[in-house]
């Protein structure tokens, strides 16, 4: 097939303009060699940006694929960051290489909570699908899924010393899980509404929960010790008539075998609305909490010694008071009792007033009693504060505010400069000019609510049209506002530069189109010439004007009106020429092709219509987007045009053949506008997700049939993964379930294993035939040619090839891939496993697969006489081989400990962990000595 018309592909190049996305939280991270509290990680659509708050620079981008980031959690060692996505996937990135090595797929919808355990070996994730999953990070696999909550999971916390997990949800319950038996042993029902956050304090003996009211509830957690010895029988009590009432209490006691939870009281917040986020520092000494407003409240948790001190003070006061009253009454002295209250243990520290509503908080304790607080605000800003917790009245100092790299509100207009190098973006309060190649901000200027914009020829000034009907002229060199012109009485919706570049036109909601010319006048203050605009003509219309465009030959002027029509006038005489009617809702955008032959209109009725400009005939009406078409522009010097819609997509169309060429997907909210560079190589688009995206034209051609085929394949793959999860025969649905889920990757992995087994079978059949032929043949027969796949893998044996295929399956997807595998392939696999174990190949991996297959196909395998001998062999071989590996590990571990002792005794130094403590001690003594010298001096 010859390429009749070549289209070139546009690809996503960069995301900028986002400082911190609203969908996810903010988290402190440490980079190699960097100080603590200097770097914060935030979501930026599908990526994660790491900002250096001191310099205000972006230092790292952890690139995502397609779905938005919904949660971040830094690992305890500070080397990794776990990132949860909108589709339920979790990826673990290394902060050293910014690559993702591990990924988990278990949730059906967005990840809403994540926490590491103290060692960083396990990760717990909660999701909007109400499931909680515990993942093994070292083995890169899912351990189990815990079901029980009925709504979105809001927080999940591991306990440090016990194998327990506590989770909270919007279903108003807090559940305690025993991870040894994977069941929920306690459900706390003391909340009347959603539980939005919780933290563990006082060595995990206190739980603080934040709900939809202004109370922070505190719960005392008592861990009960098992007193009975192992195997000791329980004494059965004889039941009497009086014991009927006590039965319920006994049930209660049975539930409280592991721990008991009692409400200790509550703290009152100043905010009246729900808790949005609740965070504590690593030591649990400071708790930060905020609602939907701009105030962050900080509480300090006193240590046991400090509480005892305040209690003794209180007791002294009470004794004095009692002694005074008794002296007056002449009674005997009674020992006063002072009750210990929650407000004696948790005190209000201070409040921090941020510059806008807070979206999320993270705090970090540093040396010298310094607390660092990072706030992600709802207007695309990050603020950091620092305060000394040891002060009597600690005051928070703002240490950084990141605002330069993005707008506070949505960008409503974009424009490219004539040299393709600068991009202008304007929002409700600021106008910014960006360098296209570096994506850095060159100028930021305050403006009114901007709706449309253009670069004045020469690219030294820009003009904005505002919501209040004004024209604002800015000079880029000085970054100053030159003039504000009251142009219209209604919103100024559209600007269009005249083809002769001597002026422009404006269209407004006051039902007029006005013509303006550029002029240079002498500025009274500076005696310099400056640019201004002169109003020359007005075209009065019956309806509000939404969009205006000149034809490139300056002959015609197209105006779209609120009555869903487009009127075309002659530019010179302003006489009416054509009316283009057919749209059911107003036309929001239009453009005229470079050769003045076509006009394309995009409307709120989701359609794009292509019209001829000579007679006003509609060439084609196309259903373009799933929501309003917001913007439309022709690629310079072509009949190809792009449209942007509220359905988050940007699409490219051919106006001659009326076909969709490609869809640019990337934005996560409505796309408001875009701009195409004068040479057609770049597009910048702006969206409600606060991001600006740069798209680049590549040299890769697009074949439309292939493009449609790829779209169909993607749809099919999505529907495959959405099918029901495979079920293990004989298993009933309980609280605990397997962690992984069926995805297109697991189906493909199972198919690869099946293909490998087929290949192995085929090769074995060839060898058997050769063996049989050799017995009857006179001359020696040559060996059959191996399969080309085996040759490509370096002439490996067929059995080894099967093992290689299994090894390549991602660890987190292995179980589900084997679950999808049909049973007829299992006997062959078991025989292969036996040979692998005898040869000592990948014993751990083979054992993992073997035990899983035995578990899910137990009935089939135990009922099959042919497999009995194989299973028997496997039993003896597996036990002996695993024992061997254990012995080797034990020997190596003992040898390493022996070497450590040898080195320590030789060099008389402490090793590993102890050495760092010694170093800190030495530093302290050195500092003391220096201080002493300074005082003497």
């Amino acid at each position: 097939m010859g390429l009749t018309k070549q289209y070139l592909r546009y690809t996503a190049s960069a995301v900028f303009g986002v400082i911190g996305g609203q969908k996810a939280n903010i988290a402190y991270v440490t980079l190699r060699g960097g100080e603590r509290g200097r770097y914060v990680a935030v979501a930026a659509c599908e990526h994660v940006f790491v900002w250096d708050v001191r310099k205000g620079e972006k230092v790292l981008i952890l690139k995502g694929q397609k779905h938005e980031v919904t949660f971040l959690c830094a690992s305890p060692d500070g080397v990794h960051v776990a990132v949860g996505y909108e589709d339920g996937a979790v990826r673990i990135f290394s902060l050293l290489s910014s690559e993702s090595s591990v990924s988990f797929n278990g949730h059906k919808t967005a990840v809403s909570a994540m926490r590491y355990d103290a060692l960083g070996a396990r990760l717990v994730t909660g999701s909007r699908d109400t499931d909680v999953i515990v993942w093994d990070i070292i083995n890169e696999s899912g351990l189990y899924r815990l079901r029980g909550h009925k709504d979105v999971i809001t927080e999940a916390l591991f306990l440090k010393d016990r194998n327990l997990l506590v989770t909270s949800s919007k279903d108003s319950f807090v559940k305690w899980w025993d991870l040894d038996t994977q069941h929920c042993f306690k459900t706390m029902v003391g909340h009347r509404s959603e539980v939005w956050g919780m933290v563990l304090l006082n060595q995990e003996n206190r739980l603080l929960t934040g709900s939809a009211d202004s109370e922070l509830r505190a719960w005392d957690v008592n861990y009960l010790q098992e007193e009975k010895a192992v195997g000791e029988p329980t004494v059965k009590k004889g039941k009497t008539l009086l014991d009927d009432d006590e039965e319920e209490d006994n049930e209660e006691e049975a539930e409280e075998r592991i721990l008991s939870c009692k409400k200790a009281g509550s703290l009152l917040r100043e905010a009246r609305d729900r808790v949005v986020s609740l965070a504590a520092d690593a030591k649990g000494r400071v708790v930060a909490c905020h609602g939907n407003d701009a105030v962050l409240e900080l509480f300090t948790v006193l240590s046991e010694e400090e509480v005892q001190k305040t209690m003794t003070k209180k007791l002294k006061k009470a004794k004095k008071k009692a002694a005074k009253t008794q002296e007056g009454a002449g009674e005997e002295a009674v020992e006063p009792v002072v009750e210990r209250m929650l407000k004696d243990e948790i005190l209000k520290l201070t409040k921090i007033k941020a510059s806008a509503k807070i979206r999320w908080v993270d705090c970090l304790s540093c040396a010298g009693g310094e607390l660092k607080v990072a706030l992600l605000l709802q207007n695309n800003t990050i603020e950091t504060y620092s305060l000394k917790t040891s002060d009597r009245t600690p005051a928070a100092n703002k240490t950084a505010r990141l605002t330069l790299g993005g707008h506070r509100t949505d960008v409503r207009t974009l424009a490219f400069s004539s040299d393709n190098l600068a991009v202008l973006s304007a929002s409700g309060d600021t106008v910014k000019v960006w360098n296209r190649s570096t994506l850095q901000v060159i100028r930021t200027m305050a403006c009114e609510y901007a709706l449309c914009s253009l670069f004045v020829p020469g690219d030294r000034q820009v003009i904005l049209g505002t919501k209040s009907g004004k024209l604002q002229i800015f000079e880029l060199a000085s970054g100053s506002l030159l003039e504000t012109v009251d142009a219209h009485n209604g919103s100024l919706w559209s600007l269009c530069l005249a083809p002769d570049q001597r002026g422009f036109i404006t269209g407004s909601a006051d039902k007029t189109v006005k013509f303006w010319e550029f002029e240079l006048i002498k500025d009274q203050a500076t005696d310099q010439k400056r640019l201004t605009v002169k109003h020359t003509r007005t075209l009065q219309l019956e309806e509000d004007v939404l969009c205006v465009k000149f034809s490139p030959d300056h002959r015609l002027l197209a105006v779209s009106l609120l009555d869903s029509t487009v009127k075309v006038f002659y530019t010179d005489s302003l006489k009416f020429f054509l009316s283009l009617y057919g749209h059911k809702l107003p036309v929001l955008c239009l453009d005229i092709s470079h050769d003045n032959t076509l006009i394309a209109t995009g409307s709120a009725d989701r359609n794009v219509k292509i019209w001829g400009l000579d007679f006003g005939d509609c060439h084609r009406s196309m259903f373009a987007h799933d929501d309003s078409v917001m913007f439309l522009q022709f690629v310079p010097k072509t009949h190809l045009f792009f449209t942007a819609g509220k359905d988050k997509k940007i699409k490219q169309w051919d106006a001659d053949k009326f076909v969709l060429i490609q869809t640019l997907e990337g934005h996560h909210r409505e796309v408001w506008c875009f701009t195409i560079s004068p040479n057609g190589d770049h597009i910048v688009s702006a969206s409600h997700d606060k991001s600006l995206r740069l798209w680049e034209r590549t040299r890769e051609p697009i074949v439309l049939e292939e493009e449609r085929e790829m779209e169909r394949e993607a749809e099919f793959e999505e529907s495959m993964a959405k099918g029901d999860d495979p079920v293990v025969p004989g298993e009933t649905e309980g609280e605990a379930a397997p962690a992984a889920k069926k995805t297109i990757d697991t189906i493909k992995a199972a198919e690869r294993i099946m293909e490998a087994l087929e290949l192995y079978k085929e090769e074995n059949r060839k060898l058997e035939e050769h063996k049989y032929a050799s017995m009857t043949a006179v001359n020696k027969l040559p060996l059959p040619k191996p399969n080309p796949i085996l040759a490509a893998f370096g002439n490996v044996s067929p059995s080894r090839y099967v093992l290689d295929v299994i090894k390549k399956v991602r660890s987190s997807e292995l179980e589900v891939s084997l679950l999808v595998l049909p049973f007829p392939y299992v006997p062959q696999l078991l025989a292969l496993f036996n040979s692998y174990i005898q040869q000592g190949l990948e014993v751990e991996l083979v054992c993992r697969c073997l035990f899983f297959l035995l578990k899910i196909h137990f009935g089939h395998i135990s009922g099959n006489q042919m497999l009995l001998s194989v299973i028997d062999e496997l039993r003896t071989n597996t036990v002996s081989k695993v024992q061997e590996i254990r012995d080797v590990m034990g020997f190596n571990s003992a040898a390493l400990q022996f070497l450590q002792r040898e080195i320590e005794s030789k060099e008389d130094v402490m090793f590993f962990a102890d050495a760092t403590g010694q170093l800190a001690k030495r530093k302290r003594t050195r500092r003391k000595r220096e201080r002493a010298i300074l005082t003497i001096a």
Side-chain angles (χ1 to χ4, degrees):
M1 185 195 91
L3 287 174
T4 50
K5 186 166 185 180
Q6 196 173 24
Y7 305 113
L8 294 176
R9 188 181 298 283
Y10 281 82
T11 58
S13 167
V15 177
F16 61 107
V18 185
I19 294 169
Q22 297 304 297
K23 266 291 185 76
N25 57 325
I26 184 169
Y28 273 113
V29 292
T30 42
L31 295 185
R32 184 170 34 192
E35 60 187 277
R36 290 177 76 231
R38 181 167 177 176
Y39 304 100
V40 292
V42 285
C45 300
E46 68 271 32
H47 306 312
V48 174
F49 287 172
V50 177
W51 292 91
D52 179 341
V53 288
R54 185 181 290 175
K55 291 182 178 173
E57 286 174 4
K58 199 186 301 170
V59 285
L60 206 63
I61 299 176
L62 309 177
K63 286 203 160 97
Q65 279 149 347
K66 182 179 165 190
H67 296 279
E68 250 181 312
V69 174
T70 55
F71 209 86
L72 303 169
C73 181
S75 67
D77 59 3
V79 179
H80 296 97
V81 171
V83 182
Y85 294 91
E86 182 84 276
D87 63 338
V90 176
R91 293 170 72 198
I92 293 172
F93 287 88
S94 160
L95 286 171
L96 306 176
S97 64
S98 66
E99 295 293 320
S100 156
S101 50
V102 184
S103 65
F104 299 128
N105 249 317
H107 293 293
K108 292 186 180 73
T109 51
V111 176
S112 56
M114 275 199 297
R115 279 286 177 272
Y116 277 93
D117 68 353
L119 286 173
R122 289 178 303 174
L123 178 76
V124 60
T125 60
S127 161
R128 298 182 80 87
D129 64 8
T130 74
D131 288 352
V132 175
I133 301 181
V134 180
W135 305 93
D136 181 345
I137 287 174
I138 293 163
N139 197 25
E140 298 181 13
S141 64
L143 294 174
Y144 33 79
R145 178 191 301 268
L146 303 171
R147 294 190 173 119
H149 282 292
K150 300 279 183 291
D151 209 333
V152 179
I153 309 295
T154 53
E155 185 61 282
L157 303 166
F158 281 109
L159 271 72
K160 277 196 183 76
D161 308 322
R162 297 168 179 82
N163 199 16
L164 303 177
L165 178 74
V166 55
T167 59
S168 67
S169 162
K170 276 171 71 175
D171 61 7
S172 82
F173 298 136
V174 172
K175 285 180 179 284
W176 290 84
W177 306 83
D178 183 351
L179 296 182
D180 293 325
T181 54
Q182 293 136 45
H183 82 288
C184 170
F185 64 87
K186 187 172 188 61
T187 301
M188 290 162 56
V189 291
H191 301 90
R192 292 195 194 93
S193 53
E194 303 99 331
V195 183
W196 286 101
M198 58 178 181
V199 287
L200 284 162
L201 309 168
N202 297 4
Q203 279 85 44
E204 301 181 341
N205 289 322
R206 162 83 32 91
L207 182 72
L208 197 65
T209 57
S211 186
D213 50 21
S214 56
E215 277 184 46
L216 291 180
R217 292 169 178 78
W219 309 81
D220 277 332
V221 184
N222 291 316
Y223 302 97
L224 309 178
Q225 303 305 319
E226 293 287 334
E227 276 128 23
K228 294 236 184 292
V230 180
E232 186 181 332
T234 50
V235 182
K236 221 175 185 183
K237 236 169 63 177
K239 192 177 172 189
T240 64
L241 290 170
L242 297 169
D243 291 344
D244 278 354
D245 306 332
E246 289 171 20
E247 264 201 1
E248 289 166 18
D249 302 347
N250 290 349
E251 278 174 27
E252 201 56 35
E253 279 168 27
E255 188 199 34
E256 296 190 343
R257 247 179 242 136
I258 300 173
L259 55 83
S260 66
C261 251
K262 277 209 293 286
K263 190 168 179 189
S266 56
L267 298 171
L268 276 177
R269 297 162 47 229
E270 283 186 13
R272 287 275 158 276
D273 57 350
R274 76 170 179 92
V275 169
V276 173
S277 81
L278 183 65
D281 65 335
K283 296 191 184 85
R285 295 299 308 273
V286 177
V287 177
C289 170
H290 69 89
N292 257 322
D293 52 10
V295 178
L296 176 79
E297 294 179 58
L298 291 169
F299 299 90
T300 180
V301 184
L302 300 181
S303 64
E304 193 56 40
E305 292 168 21
E306 291 168 322
V307 175
Q308 288 303 333
K309 272 184 194 171
T310 53
M311 292 316 290
T312 47
K313 274 184 191 171
K314 269 195 174 180
L315 195 59
K316 269 186 189 173
K317 268 189 187 174
K319 276 182 182 172
K320 271 186 187 175
K321 205 175 182 185
K324 268 186 185 176
T325 51
Q326 280 147 11
E327 269 175 30
E331 295 169 10
E332 271 186 42
V334 183
E335 188 69 28
V337 180
V338 177
E339 205 178 322
R340 181 164 162 170
M341 309 279 282
L342 183 70
K343 62 182 181 195
D344 299 323
E345 299 174 40
I346 303 178
L347 308 176
K348 187 163 277 188
L349 190 63
T350 184
K351 283 190 308 187
I352 296 177
K353 180 93 168 70
S355 62
K357 286 182 178 177
I358 303 169
R359 176 69 191 85
W360 209 276
V361 60
D362 194 21
C363 48
L364 185 71
S365 285
C366 297
E370 187 192 7
L371 179 78
K372 290 184 175 177
V373 178
L375 299 177
L376 173 63
L377 306 184
Q378 286 184 17
N379 65 352
N380 196 24
T381 308
I382 294 169
E383 290 186 349
T384 58
Y385 294 84
S386 148
L387 58 117
K388 280 264 192 286
T389 49
S390 49
D391 294 357
R392 179 153 284 185
T393 52
N397 300 318
K398 189 185 286 188
T399 49
R401 183 164 185 250
L402 304 184
T403 55
L404 195 64
H407 289 273
R408 307 286 70 74
T409 52
D410 290 4
V411 171
R412 298 310 293 252
T413 173
L414 291 162
F416 251 109
S417 63
S418 59
D419 58 4
N420 310 296
L421 290 177
V423 181
L424 172 142
S425 65
S427 68
D429 53 359
T430 51
V431 52
K432 288 179 183 282
V433 180
W434 308 77
N435 180 330
R436 194 213 72 229
S437 50
T438 62
L439 302 179
Q440 296 296 316
V441 181
I442 307 166
R443 284 278 177 277
T444 300
M445 298 159 284
C447 67
E448 288 187 29
Y449 198 118
L451 295 175
C452 48
S453 61
L454 56 82
F455 273 93
V456 175
D459 298 335
R460 292 184 180 178
Q461 295 90 8
V462 293
I463 295 182
L464 298 185
T466 71
K467 203 172 185 175
S468 57
K470 295 186 176 72
L471 282 173
Q472 292 194 307
I473 307 170
F474 291 91
E475 185 169 43
L476 292 185
S478 60
S480 59
L481 174 66
L482 291 179
E483 191 180 355
T484 301
V485 180
D486 289 323
H488 291 273
N489 299 325
S491 298
L492 204 157
W493 287 113
S494 184
L495 282 172
C496 180
L497 191 65
D500 61 5
Q501 302 203 330
R502 290 181 178 172
F504 60 95
I505 46 169
T506 57
S508 161
D510 66 0
K511 305 180 184 178
T512 59
V513 173
K514 291 189 179 178
F515 290 71
W516 306 81
E517 278 182 3
F518 296 122
E519 263 194 341
L520 283 173
I521 58 161
K522 212 170 203 182
D523 196 352
Q524 304 296 327
T526 58
D527 270 4
Q528 297 284 323
K529 281 195 172 179
R530 70 168 176 83
L531 182 85
T532 184
V533 292
K534 187 174 84 175
H535 175 219
T536 56
R537 295 190 288 171
T538 304
L539 172 62
Q540 184 68 44
L541 295 147
E542 288 84 59
E543 291 283 342
D544 289 15
V545 177
L546 296 178
C547 191
V548 289
K549 268 285 183 297
F550 274 121
S551 64
D553 62 0
H554 209 203
R555 192 171 71 93
L556 300 171
L557 160 69
V559 182
S560 103
L561 302 173
L562 200 59
D563 63 1
S564 310
T565 63
V566 174
K567 301 270 194 289
V568 184
F569 299 89
Y570 289 105
T571 309
D572 48 5
S573 62
L574 296 187
K575 276 189 179 167
F576 174 74
F577 172 45
L578 292 170
S579 178
L580 313 177
Y581 54 90
H583 283 292
K584 294 181 182 67
L585 290 169
V587 173
L588 303 176
C589 48
L590 58 89
D591 199 12
I592 299 173
S593 64
H594 69 104
D595 54 4
N596 315 295
T597 54
L598 299 174
I599 177 168
T601 57
S603 159
D605 63 10
R606 314 179 203 181
N607 290 309
V608 165
K609 290 184 193 286
I610 298 164
W611 319 73
L613 253 187
D614 32 13
F615 306 111
D617 53 325
C618 181
H619 289 187
R620 185 65 64 96
S621 179
M622 300 182 289
F623 181 73
H625 290 270
D626 298 330
D627 209 331
S628 305
V629 182
M630 297 303 293
F631 205 82
L632 183 152
Q633 194 179 340
F634 275 98
V635 178
K637 301 185 179 59
T638 68
H639 277 192
L640 310 179
F641 65 93
F642 280 92
T643 59
K646 274 191 177 178
D647 61 354
K648 313 172 191 173
K649 295 184 175 76
I650 297 169
K651 296 183 178 183
Q652 189 186 19
W653 308 82
D654 186 338
D656 293 329
K657 294 192 169 180
F658 318 119
V659 289
L660 171 66
I661 300 164
Q662 61 183 328
T663 304
L664 305 180
E665 289 188 47
H667 283 294
H668 300 286
R669 294 285 176 285
E670 303 90 327
V671 184
W672 297 129
C673 57
F674 61 84
T675 178
I676 302 176
S677 63
N679 61 10
D681 282 344
H682 298 91
I683 301 172
V684 174
S685 56
S687 160
H688 184 40
D689 61 15
K690 297 277 197 301
S691 72
L692 299 173
R693 281 171 192 266
L694 177 68
W695 312 82
E696 282 184 359
R697 182 159 63 186
T698 60
R699 305 260 63 85
E700 180 196 341
I702 289 180
V703 180
L704 294 181
E705 285 81 359
E706 279 179 18
E707 200 71 5
R708 298 299 92 82
E709 182 62 36
M710 277 156 65
E711 280 170 23
R712 283 194 291 274
E713 265 178 30
E715 252 174 58
F716 171 70
E717 286 184 0
E718 226 168 81
S719 66
M720 283 277 285
K722 274 184 183 154
D724 292 335
D725 279 344
V727 179
V728 179
E731 271 202 7
T732 53
E733 188 130 317
E735 275 186 332
K741 68 167 182 183
K742 184 172 88 171
T743 61
I744 193 65
D745 294 328
T746 60
I747 295 165
K748 282 180 176 170
E751 281 173 359
R752 284 198 297 273
I753 295 171
M754 290 193 288
E755 281 165 14
L757 287 167
E758 292 286 357
L759 186 143
Y760 169 72
K761 209 173 177 178
E762 184 61 30
E763 290 298 300
N764 272 7
R765 192 184 57 73
K766 275 193 210 166
L767 285 172
E768 286 292 324
E769 282 175 6
H770 175 264
K771 198 173 169 187
Y772 181 69
S774 299
M775 283 161 72
T776 52
V778 185
N779 297 332
K780 197 178 179 186
L781 293 173
L783 279 167
K785 260 193 171 177
N787 191 302
I789 293 175
L790 298 178
F793 277 87
N795 284 329
V796 291
S797 66
S799 63
R800 193 61 203 255
Y801 173 67
V802 175
L803 182 62
D804 286 346
V805 168
I806 294 171
K807 261 168 71 180
K808 280 180 186 149
V809 177
R810 203 183 277 157
S811 180
S812 58
E813 292 166 356
L814 185 62
E815 273 84 2
V816 184
S817 304
L818 292 172
L819 192 52
V820 176
L821 199 70
F823 181 72
Y825 290 97
V826 173
Q828 214 172 348
L829 255 184
L830 293 179
L832 277 169
F833 286 169
N834 194 16
S835 71
Y836 298 150
I837 286 172
Q838 278 173 338
Q839 295 167 50
L841 298 170
E842 301 290 338
V843 177
E844 281 181 57
L845 176 69
V846 170
C847 284
R848 187 177 155 193
C849 297
L850 170 65
F851 298 148
F852 185 74
L853 287 173
L854 288 176
K855 184 175 131 188
I856 60 173
H857 296 301
F858 180 75
H860 280 297
I861 292 169
S862 55
N864 192 332
Q865 289 293 321
M866 307 282 287
L867 287 175
L868 279 178
S869 57
V870 180
I871 293 293
D872 199 42
E873 271 185 61
L874 270 167
R875 189 189 55 183
T876 50
N877 292 339
T878 309
V879 172
S880 61
K881 261 286 179 275
V882 170
Q883 194 61 51
E884 259 178 56
I885 292 174
R886 269 178 60 189
D887 292 346
V888 168
M889 280 179 72
F891 181 85
N892 288 347
S893 164
L896 286 167
Q897 284 169 4
F898 171 73
L899 281 170
Q900 181 184 344
R901 285 196 298 274
E902 284 288 295
I903 294 167
E904 281 176 6
S905 60
K906 248 186 220 167
E907 309 203 357
D908 198 28
V909 292
M910 298 307 287
F911 216 49
F912 300 132
D914 314 335
T916 54
Q918 298 273 341
L919 183 70
K921 213 175 189 179
R922 243 177 268 147
K923 273 187 184 167
R924 271 200 298 275
T925 49
R926 195 185 305 140
R927 263 195 226 117
K928 270 184 192 165
R929 214 176 295 138
E930 282 169 2
R931 237 179 262 143
I933 292 163
L934 281 170
T935 15
I936 294 162

